């Protein structure tokens, strides 16, 4: 058995605004395992500036994994316990290696093209006109759950956007989620949550910066709308640390990004704890190529959750990997008649 990795720089079709600045490219890495005539492919979805494994020795770690691939999946995962995106790539690559079809990791009605996964339509940050245009487009093509990134432009302008949606669609027609990416201060967060709650939101992600557990716990106890932890989960590797967060904060939801929290294994660990502490959850992709998105989608479908998920659509990049994934209204689907073009 031998393994190699290759870097792939994804290029955005248009610069995408986030609370961490404007993204034009995104590095990702493909891990390829070969054993006799079998090939396994996984994506290590590094997210610079956000991943806890955004480190100078990242490629060195990947090379180490390739040199020691014969240790097998379990031992490799232990050796890179603090490199969540590499863990995720290892899991995918070994599942792919043992599969009849290299990109069918969890055979199901999803991979047969018989069922789709309900997803939210993501509205990228920008000026009011750009964000409003995106909202209209998402609703016109059939999305019934919309997620807005907030915290980068004037708060009043953001409230006006929510007012615009609610003036056209009730909460029964369109579910609204917002993601603050930690933009609020502990001092003003509760007041902002109260103002946001006027628009019957489903939830708000990470209203204050991660690492402020007591302040977040106080917010979750008093909030007029459900709070979902997102960045709070990044860089937490041990089960005891994970449990401390949920026990202390008692959030209404947690958001699972496999590339950032240790792949399938890390996601399952968080789900078990969420169930114990009565927190809901959903799964979100983190700007992976279609290789990683496909793995996350199949894993998500395998978990049999009904809630709309935060999965991407694969359409952000000019040089993505052509795949059978496609979006139909507010659903991510898989067409088994189409081929992958991974080389």
């Amino acid at each position: 058995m031998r393994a190699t990795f290759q870097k792939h720089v994804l290029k955005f079709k248009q610069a995408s605004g986030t609370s961490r600045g404007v993204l034009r490219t995104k590095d990702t890495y493909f891990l390829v395992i070969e054993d006799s005539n079998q090939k396994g492919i996984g994506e290590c979805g590094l997210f610079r500036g956000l991943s806890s494994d955004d480190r100078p020795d990242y490629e060195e770690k990947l090379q180490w994994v390739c040199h020691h691939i014969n240790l097998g999946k379990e031992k490799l995962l232990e050796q890179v316990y603090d490199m969540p995106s590499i863990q995720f790539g290892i899991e995918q690559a070994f599942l792919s290696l043992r599969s009849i079809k290299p990109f069918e990791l969890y055979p199901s009605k999803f991979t047969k093209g018989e069922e789709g996964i309900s997803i939210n339509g993501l509205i990228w940050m920008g000026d009011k006109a750009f964000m409003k245009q995106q909202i209209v487009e998402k609703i016109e093509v059939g999305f019934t759950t919309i997620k807005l990134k907030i915290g980068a432009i004037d708060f009043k302008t953001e409230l006006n956007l929510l007012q615009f949606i609610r003036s056209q669609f009730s909460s029964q027609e369109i579910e609204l989620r917002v993601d603050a990416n930690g933009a609020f201060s502990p001092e003003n967060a509760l007041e902002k949550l109260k103002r946001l709650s006027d628009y019957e939101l489903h939830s708000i992600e990470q209203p204050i910066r991660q690492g402020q557990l007591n302040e977040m716990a106080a917010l979750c106890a008093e909030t007029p709308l459900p709070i979902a932890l997102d960045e709070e989960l990044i860089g937490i590797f041990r089960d005891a640390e994970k449990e401390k967060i949920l026990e202390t904060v008692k959030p209404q939801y947690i958001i699972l990004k496999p590339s950032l929290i240790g792949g399938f294994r890390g996601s399952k660990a968080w789900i078990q704890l969420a169930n114990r502490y009565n927190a809901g959850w959903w799964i979100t992709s983190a700007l992976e190529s279609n290789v990683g998105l496909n793995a996350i989608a199949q894993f998500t479908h395998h978990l049999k959750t009904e809630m709309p998920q935060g999965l991407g659509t694969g359409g952000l990049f000019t040089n993505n990997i052509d795949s059978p994934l496609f979006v139909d209204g507010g659903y991510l689907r898989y067409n088994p008649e189409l081929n992958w073009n991974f080389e």
Side-chain angles (χ1 to χ4, degrees):
M1 190 158 59
R2 61 184 293 270
T4 55
F5 74 87
Q6 59 194 71
K7 183 177 180 179
H8 185 68
V9 181
L10 293 161
K11 299 173 183 176
F12 284 84
K13 289 178 181 175
Q14 61 183 41
S16 298
T18 73
S19 59
R20 295 173 188 83
V22 176
L23 301 176
R24 291 179 173 83
T25 63
K26 181 185 179 291
D27 294 346
T28 198
Y29 293 83
F30 296 121
L31 176 65
V32 180
I33 306 175
E34 295 176 86
D35 189 9
S36 299
N37 295 323
Q38 293 289 102
K39 181 183 283 190
I41 301 158
E43 179 173 1
C44 303
L46 175 65
F47 197 133
R48 297 204 183 279
L50 182 59
S51 297
S52 58
D53 51 9
D54 178 14
R55 298 170 10 186
D57 63 343
Y58 189 86
E59 291 190 13
E60 187 181 319
K61 282 281 188 181
L62 261 179
Q63 193 62 64
W64 184 92
V65 168
C66 292
H67 286 157
H68 295 85
I69 201 67
N70 285 297
L71 286 174
K73 183 181 77 170
E74 298 305 321
K75 288 187 177 178
L76 286 171
L77 291 176
E78 290 169 10
Q79 292 297 317
V80 293
Y81 77 93
D82 58 346
M83 306 288 283
S85 65
I86 295 179
Q87 285 185 308
F88 188 36
I90 290 170
E91 287 181 313
Q92 291 169 64
F94 274 96
L95 275 172
S96 172
L97 185 68
R98 305 305 176 205
S99 175
I100 295 171
K101 299 177 182 178
F103 292 101
E104 196 169 334
L105 309 186
Y106 290 93
S108 66
K109 288 185 177 181
F110 175 73
T111 56
K112 289 178 182 176
E114 297 171 2
E115 292 182 355
I117 301 169
S118 179
I119 60 173
N120 60 227
L122 178 61
I123 307 303
W124 288 92
M125 290 175 173
D127 60 30
K128 183 179 178 180
F130 174 62
M131 293 180 75
K132 188 172 179 179
Q133 172 197 339
Q134 292 178 81
I135 292 165
V136 171
E137 288 172 355
K138 288 288 189 292
I139 292 172
E140 282 181 348
V141 298
F143 281 93
T144 57
T145 301
I146 301 292
K147 172 181 163 180
L148 283 81
K149 296 273 192 180
I150 64 172
I153 60 176
D154 177 66
F155 186 60
K156 186 175 180 181
T157 301
E158 292 168 338
L159 292 177
N160 288 340
L161 284 168
L162 295 171
Q163 171 61 37
F164 161 71
I165 300 172
R166 279 289 170 255
S167 69
Q168 308 291 316
F169 302 95
S170 71
S171 57
Q172 283 71 44
E173 294 171 300
I174 296 292
E175 180 178 279
L176 283 175
R177 301 172 177 176
V178 295
D179 182 1
N181 286 123
F184 302 162
S185 71
E187 293 73 30
N188 68 21
L190 186 59
E191 178 57 35
K192 289 192 171 183
L193 294 183
K194 288 175 180 175
R195 296 184 69 185
L196 287 166
S197 70
D198 291 340
Y199 303 102
E200 298 180 84
L201 305 185
H202 171 271
S203 56
I204 180 169
E205 298 178 31
Q206 203 69 43
I208 63 173
R209 217 172 12 88
Q210 69 265 41
Q212 304 176 89
L213 293 190
N214 293 332
E215 291 85 347
M216 187 69 88
L219 265 187
C220 287
E222 297 183 59
T223 183
L225 64 100
I227 289 175
L229 302 187
D230 180 0
E231 287 89 346
E232 205 75 64
L233 278 53
I234 297 172
I236 310 300
F237 306 121
R238 302 301 188 191
D239 287 348
E241 295 177 87
K242 294 172 184 175
E243 184 158 16
K244 180 187 176 185
I245 288 175
L246 296 195
E247 186 178 30
T248 303
V249 177
K250 296 181 175 61
Q252 285 76 32
Y253 293 102
I254 61 172
I255 294 170
L256 309 170
K257 293 176 175 171
S259 288
L260 299 173
I261 61 169
F264 302 141
R265 177 188 283 188
S267 298
K268 287 176 181 176
W270 278 110
I271 288 170
Q272 286 183 337
L273 288 169
N275 291 339
R276 187 182 307 169
Y277 289 95
N278 298 314
W281 55 269
W282 67 89
I283 293 177
T284 298
S285 52
L287 301 178
E288 296 85 2
S289 78
N290 280 331
V291 174
L293 175 60
N294 172 64
I296 295 170
Q298 291 187 35
F299 173 68
T300 301
H301 184 271
H302 162 76
L303 295 174
K304 302 187 185 307
T305 175
E306 297 296 321
M307 183 181 292
Q309 304 294 297
L311 304 183
T313 64
L316 288 174
F317 308 113
T318 61
N319 61 336
N320 209 335
I321 309 300
D322 290 341
S323 79
L325 295 169
F326 69 103
V327 178
D328 177 24
Y331 288 83
L332 183 65
R333 299 187 183 275
Y334 192 97
N335 183 350
E337 303 300 317
L338 298 178
N339 295 318
W340 288 83
N341 77 338
F342 188 91
E343 295 177 4

